[in-house]
Amino acid sequence: MNPRANLIFITSLLLGTTITISSNHWIMAWAGLEINTLAILPLISKSHHPRAIEAATKYFLTQAAASALVLFSSMTNAWHTGQWDITQLTHPTSCLILTSAISMKLGLVP
């Protein structure tokens, strides 16, 4: 892989992590997680081996499902409480959905 491309992907990983950690709004946290997902995919599949491509595809599908759950959890919480702040996660259903989404994002064993 080109060293410049590698530098861009690693910088994108750091940017996405910084955005996610420093956000107070659910949409910004989601955007940071998506930047991380899109930056790690080329790094996973940089060797053009079929198993690397398969791993990247599985990673993408799992992360896309978890991202959809994060958005669904935040919308459910905003619907019940009227707040989009991360600190105002008080509805139990939203909390359960977010916990499962974060577990999928972290790759915890089911």
Side-chain angles (χ1 to χ4, degrees):
M1 181 179 283
N2 188 356
R4 286 185 186 170
N6 202 9
L7 179 68
I8 288 173
F9 292 136
I10 297 212
T11 305
S12 296
L13 276 173
L14 293 173
L15 175 71
T17 303
T18 305
I19 288 172
T20 301
I21 290 173
S22 66
S23 65
N24 291 328
H25 197 271
W26 282 111
I27 301 298
M28 287 302 294
W30 174 78
L33 290 172
E34 287 302 307
I35 289 171
N36 278 343
T37 300
L38 293 177
I40 200 77
L41 282 172
L43 295 175
I44 291 173
S45 62
K46 73 178 173 180
S47 69
H48 296 290
H49 193 272
R51 289 191 184 190
I53 304 299
E54 179 186 1
T57 303
K58 288 178 181 178
Y59 180 81
F60 174 74
L61 292 175
T62 305
Q63 295 299 314
S67 292
L69 282 176
V70 167
L71 284 178
F72 182 68
S73 170
S74 64
M75 286 190 304
T76 305
N77 188 52
W79 181 43
H80 286 290
T81 63
Q83 297 288 328
W84 282 91
D85 293 336
I86 289 178
T87 59
Q88 298 294 326
L89 187 65
T90 56
H91 195 263
T93 306
S94 298
C95 207
L96 180 67
I97 294 171
L98 183 69
T99 302
S100 64
I102 295 298
S103 296
M104 287 174 68
K105 284 275 189 196
L106 290 173
L108 297 178
V109 178

